[in-house]
Amino acid sequence: MKKPSPTIRDVAAAAGVSVATVSKYINGAQRFSAPVEAKLKATIEKLGYRSNPLARSMITGQTRTIGLTILDISNPHFTSVVKGANRVALQHDYTLLLVDAEENQARERPLIEALAQRVDGLIVSSRMPDEALQWMLELNKPVVLLRRSQQLPIPSVGIDNQLATYMLAQHLLSQGHRRIAYLGFGQARINDERIRGASECLARSGLTLEVHDAYAPTAQAGERACSRVMLGQNRPEAVICYNDLIALGFMKEAAALGFRLPQDVSVTGIDNVPYGEYSAPSLTTVDIQSEKMGELAMRKLLDLLGGGSDSGYATFEPRLIVRESTARRG
Amino acid sequence: MKKPSPTIRDVAAAAGVSVATVSKYINGAQRFSAPVEAKLKATIEKLGYRSNPLARSMITGQTRTIGLTILDISNPHFTSVVKGANRVALQHDYTLLLVDAEENQARERPLIEALAQRVDGLIVSSRMPDEALQWMLELNKPVVLLRRSQQLPIPSVGIDNQLATYMLAQHLLSQGHRRIAYLGFGQARINDERIRGASECLARSGLTLEVHDAYAPTAQAGERACSRVMLGQNRPEAVICYNDLIALGFMKEAAALGFRLPQDVSVTGIDNVPYGEYSAPSLTTVDIQSEKMGELAMRKLLDLLGGGSDSGYATFEPRLIVRESTARRG
DNA sequence: GTGAAAGCGCTAACAT
DNA sequence: ATGTTAGCGCTTTCAC
């Protein structure tokens, strides 16, 4: 059943050359005399020899694998990140070692530490505070963070969160809305930035942002939070949600509660997930180029691996996508 | 910068024992005298020693890694599969080596062959015909297929596709529809089964299924196909789509073309992706338990790795989910 | 309970 | 252009 695979030594013996020659041949390290090359090619073919990547890695210290840890693959934002990262990795003959931490903070660190030993570099999305990320520097492996790291010298990619919500607030103000609420996700590191952006924009018009929390970055959480926001005191005319999933859930529940969308309440998300286009009403959101983020993160990492130097924090420009979930007041 | 990690020899030397003892200690292979155990624990801690998984793998022949190749991570069905597989893998201390082949058939085989060398086993989703899957048997690694394999002795998990579309057709018939179309994806291996299920159901009422093709399993493809289906001759009263994404796109475009949904046309998908709940109208579909599929595939594979024997083809029961995209005729 | 020694399959000097 | 040799970091007999 389990016939042992031929080793480089088997090939060498069968072809009547040394193992070094075989090694050089499969690595295309040099040119060979015609007879040797032909013989080698034939024997490798005949034996069905495939070089053992583990043994090679042990010597070269390269695994041609990149570790990618994300918070939740079900979130279309992360799905896109993975997609982008995978594409670039494949182009450069790297493979992804994926870990979905399932929003479980406790697991993250051990998981990443174990992962670090099996890869050439890591792309990490984490909810841990910057201070708790110190240990990543001791991984001895290049890391690219999927969010801005303020204090740590770790290259990272992200978007300008403050600008994103500023844009949304501006858009809603221009539609005549005054009572604007934010339905956030306090656990996210970037939640504060998003609050700040919207708050600042409203402040310029002498208005205040009413802040709520959804406790999870999911559609279910958005549904659950809806009645609390819409049927509490001081009902908002417009709601900026932490992300598209929360917004989608919020809209569904709002409709179920009898509100007309967007007449009774305007709703926005952030991320521009593909399904915002197909919701009822279609979702006004901010595109953050998730897939490009994945691509860039991978490119930065490969650059680091190739001896490039830390390229710092890269940021994508957020772009407002206006659809049907926001409308003029009244 | 790049201080070399301590090896097992460093630990042995520092602790004044042999490498064999250290090896046994980290593998918890036996009991030790108190002083040795204490010394070892202290030294490992002090040196920050971590066993090198590559070196270990080379000897044991186990990588504790499972290769997972899918057709497109952007498709929520596959996202869920990955989610489920990842969860079970993590529970058993395995990690996923993920490859998104991006619906590119040509890449698949070399990608999988390369992957096979770096993992203990594989879970594969492929569009290649069964006959072209022969080589997988020569991988010398256990494989679980994410669809039924009729001819090959490869364990697999999937759903009863014929039943799924039979159910949908039955549902539409019971609503009084007579002109029913199928908007499929001919490249998929399972497309024929789905056609057969619906056809058979209609045949019992003396009706014929009109078959169209969307040429891709995506929402965009669904949009593109819509006018062809709806504005050609013999306009259907109901459309069964190959999957939810196509259905979502189809519905959006149908609305854009001026059709009222579901009054003018009933639409169904298959997969029960999370976003079918948030579309307008919400999508009638068939739940195929994508996440459970991923979990089961992984469980089967781990079972195989643990010496279990080929458990054949496992199938999930499809379940009809009726929402608002289908309604009585008229 | 602990250690010495023989590799796992391969690459990387360094010969020739 | 090809061969010899010395390991990479670890596990695994098999002694003691």
Side-chain angles (χ1 to χ4, degrees):
Chain A
M1 203 88 272
K2 231 176 125 186
K3 56 189 159 198
S5 301
T7 79
I8 199 173
R9 252 181 284 268
D10 298 330
V11 176
V17 298
S18 76
V19 291
T21 304
V22 181
S23 173
K24 284 163 190 153
Y25 176 77
I26 51 180
N27 291 318
Q30 25 165 100
R31 296 181 56 84
F32 298 87
S33 64
V36 171
E37 173 147 10
K39 189 87 181 109
L40 241 24
K41 185 167 180 174
T43 1
I44 287 176
E45 170 70 24
K46 181 163 132 265
L47 264 44
Y49 169 75
R50 323 230 57 187
S51 141
N52 178 333
L54 251 59
R56 181 214 292 280
S57 291
M58 224 176 60
I59 293 173
T60 62
Q62 299 230 319
T63 61
R64 296 211 80 82
T65 301
I66 301 298
L68 176 54
T69 49
I70 55 174
L71 297 167
D72 177 14
I73 185 72
S74 308
N75 186 323
H77 162 62
F78 288 115
T79 307
S80 295
V81 170
V82 172
K83 185 98 186 164
N86 172 78
R87 178 173 314 123
V88 173
L90 248 38
Q91 277 165 8
H92 296 260
D93 201 27
Y94 276 82
T95 315
L96 288 187
L97 209 34
L98 179 79
V99 169
D100 177 345
E102 301 213 312
E103 295 274 358
N104 180 340
Q105 287 222 31
R107 302 178 86 166
E108 269 187 38
R109 181 164 173 178
L111 239 29
I112 293 175
E113 285 180 333
L115 199 60
Q117 299 195 85
R118 330 188 73 250
V119 301
D120 293 345
L122 295 146
I123 296 177
V124 174
S125 171
S126 170
R127 297 218 187 285
M128 290 196 258
D130 272 19
E131 313 83 71
L133 254 35
Q134 188 66 39
W135 55 272
M136 279 197 195
L137 298 172
E138 274 131 49
L139 248 30
N140 268 327
K141 292 281 166 75
V143 174
V144 172
L145 226 45
L146 245 21
R147 75 154 194 241
R148 167 178 232 144
S149 165
Q150 318 261 21
Q151 314 166 15
L152 268 50
I154 300 183
S156 48
V157 346
I159 62 150
D160 186 333
N161 287 292
Q162 200 166 334
L163 178 53
T165 45
Y166 193 103
M167 288 162 69
L168 287 168
Q170 188 68 53
H171 167 64
L172 293 170
L173 283 177
S174 78
Q175 287 187 140
H177 300 293
R178 286 297 171 268
R179 287 202 312 281
I180 298 178
Y182 173 74
L183 178 52
F185 173 48
Q187 294 235 64
R189 311 303 310 166
I190 54 181
N191 195 50
D192 289 346
E193 299 170 30
R194 295 193 174 174
I195 290 176
R196 208 172 311 128
S199 289
E200 195 175 288
C201 180
L202 294 193
R204 299 204 168 186
S205 303
L207 299 170
T208 313
L209 183 73
E210 179 138 352
V211 177
H212 299 266
D213 200 303
Y215 304 115
T218 64
Q220 287 74 26
E223 290 185 47
R224 223 174 300 121
C226 184
S227 44
R228 184 162 26 102
V229 174
M230 292 300 289
L231 302 175
Q233 52 186 34
N234 199 25
R235 169 157 100 229
E237 297 158 351
V239 180
I240 297 174
C241 296
Y242 170 75
N243 70 10
D244 285 355
L245 293 185
I246 292 178
L248 251 22
F250 185 92
M251 290 201 298
K252 185 189 175 204
E253 180 69 3
L257 292 175
F259 293 99
R260 292 163 309 154
L261 294 151
Q263 300 93 320
D264 294 337
V265 60
S266 283
V267 178
T268 82
I270 296 178
D271 279 354
N272 191 25
V273 305
Y275 312 99
E277 250 181 283
Y278 304 101
S279 65
S282 62
L283 185 63
T284 292
T285 186
V286 172
D287 184 63
I288 62 170
Q289 306 195 69
S290 311
E291 198 166 323
K292 293 259 183 250
M293 271 182 61
E295 288 181 9
L296 181 61
M298 183 58 73
R299 249 189 272 280
K300 286 189 106 168
L301 189 54
L302 294 180
D303 191 55
L304 249 31
L305 252 23
S309 60
D310 179 344
S311 31
Y313 177 63
T315 176
F316 280 101
E317 296 225 324
R319 173 178 165 212
L320 181 67
I321 311 271
V322 178
R323 298 208 188 92
E324 304 161 356
S325 68
T326 50
R328 295 205 67 76
R329 180 172 109 184
Chain B
M1 202 88 271
K2 231 176 125 184
K3 55 188 158 197
S5 302
T7 79
I8 198 173
R9 251 181 285 270
D10 298 330
V11 176
V17 298
S18 76
V19 292
T21 303
V22 181
S23 173
K24 283 161 191 155
Y25 176 77
I26 51 181
N27 290 318
Q30 27 165 100
R31 296 183 57 84
F32 298 88
S33 63
V36 170
E37 174 147 9
K39 188 88 182 111
L40 242 25
K41 185 167 181 173
T43 338
I44 288 176
E45 170 69 24
K46 180 162 132 264
L47 264 45
Y49 170 75
R50 323 231 57 187
S51 144
N52 178 332
L54 250 59
R56 187 221 285 303
S57 291
M58 219 173 63
I59 293 174
T60 62
Q62 299 230 315
T63 61
R64 296 211 80 81
T65 300
I66 301 297
L68 176 53
T69 49
I70 54 173
L71 298 166
D72 178 14
I73 186 72
S74 307
N75 186 322
H77 162 62
F78 288 114
T79 306
S80 296
V81 169
V82 172
K83 185 96 187 165
N86 172 79
R87 178 172 314 121
V88 174
L90 249 38
Q91 276 165 8
H92 296 260
D93 202 26
Y94 276 82
T95 314
L96 288 187
L97 209 34
L98 180 80
V99 170
D100 178 345
E102 300 211 314
E103 294 275 356
N104 181 340
Q105 287 222 30
R107 301 179 86 168
E108 267 187 37
R109 180 164 172 176
L111 239 30
I112 293 175
E113 286 180 332
L115 199 60
Q117 301 194 86
R118 329 190 70 251
V119 301
D120 294 343
L122 294 147
I123 296 177
V124 174
S125 171
S126 170
R127 297 216 186 287
M128 291 195 258
D130 272 19
E131 314 83 72
L133 254 35
Q134 188 65 40
W135 56 271
M136 279 199 195
L137 298 172
E138 274 131 49
L139 249 30
N140 268 327
K141 292 281 165 75
V143 175
V144 171
L145 226 46
L146 245 21
R147 75 155 194 240
R148 167 177 234 143
S149 165
Q150 318 260 24
Q151 314 168 15
L152 270 49
I154 300 183
S156 48
V157 348
I159 61 150
D160 187 334
N161 287 291
Q162 200 166 332
L163 178 53
T165 45
Y166 193 102
M167 287 162 66
L168 288 168
Q170 189 66 56
H171 166 63
L172 293 169
L173 283 178
S174 78
Q175 287 186 140
H177 301 292
R178 287 295 171 267
R179 287 202 310 282
I180 298 177
Y182 173 75
L183 178 53
F185 173 48
Q187 295 235 63
R189 313 302 311 165
I190 54 179
N191 196 50
D192 289 345
E193 299 170 29
R194 295 192 175 174
I195 289 176
R196 208 174 311 127
S199 290
E200 194 175 287
C201 179
L202 293 191
R204 298 203 169 187
S205 302
L207 300 170
T208 312
L209 184 74
E210 179 137 352
V211 177
H212 298 268
D213 201 303
Y215 305 115
T218 63
Q220 287 74 25
E223 290 184 48
R224 222 175 300 121
C226 183
S227 45
R228 186 163 24 100
V229 174
M230 292 300 290
L231 301 176
Q233 51 186 35
N234 198 23
R235 169 156 101 229
E237 297 157 352
V239 181
I240 297 174
C241 296
Y242 170 75
N243 69 11
D244 285 354
L245 293 185
I246 292 179
L248 251 20
F250 185 92
M251 290 202 298
K252 184 189 176 203
E253 181 69 2
L257 292 175
F259 293 99
R260 291 163 310 154
L261 294 151
Q263 299 94 319
D264 294 336
V265 60
S266 283
V267 178
T268 82
I270 295 178
D271 278 355
N272 192 25
V273 306
Y275 313 99
E277 252 182 282
Y278 304 101
S279 65
S282 60
L283 185 62
T284 292
T285 186
V286 172
D287 183 63
I288 63 170
Q289 307 196 68
S290 311
E291 198 166 322
K292 293 259 183 251
M293 273 183 61
E295 289 181 8
L296 181 61
M298 184 57 75
R299 251 189 271 280
K300 285 189 108 171
L301 190 53
L302 294 180
D303 190 53
L304 249 32
L305 287 173
S309 60
D310 179 344
S311 32
Y313 177 63
T315 177
F316 281 102
E317 296 226 323
R319 173 179 165 210
L320 181 67
I321 311 273
V322 178
R323 298 208 189 92
E324 304 161 355
S325 68
T326 51
R328 295 204 68 75
R329 181 172 108 186

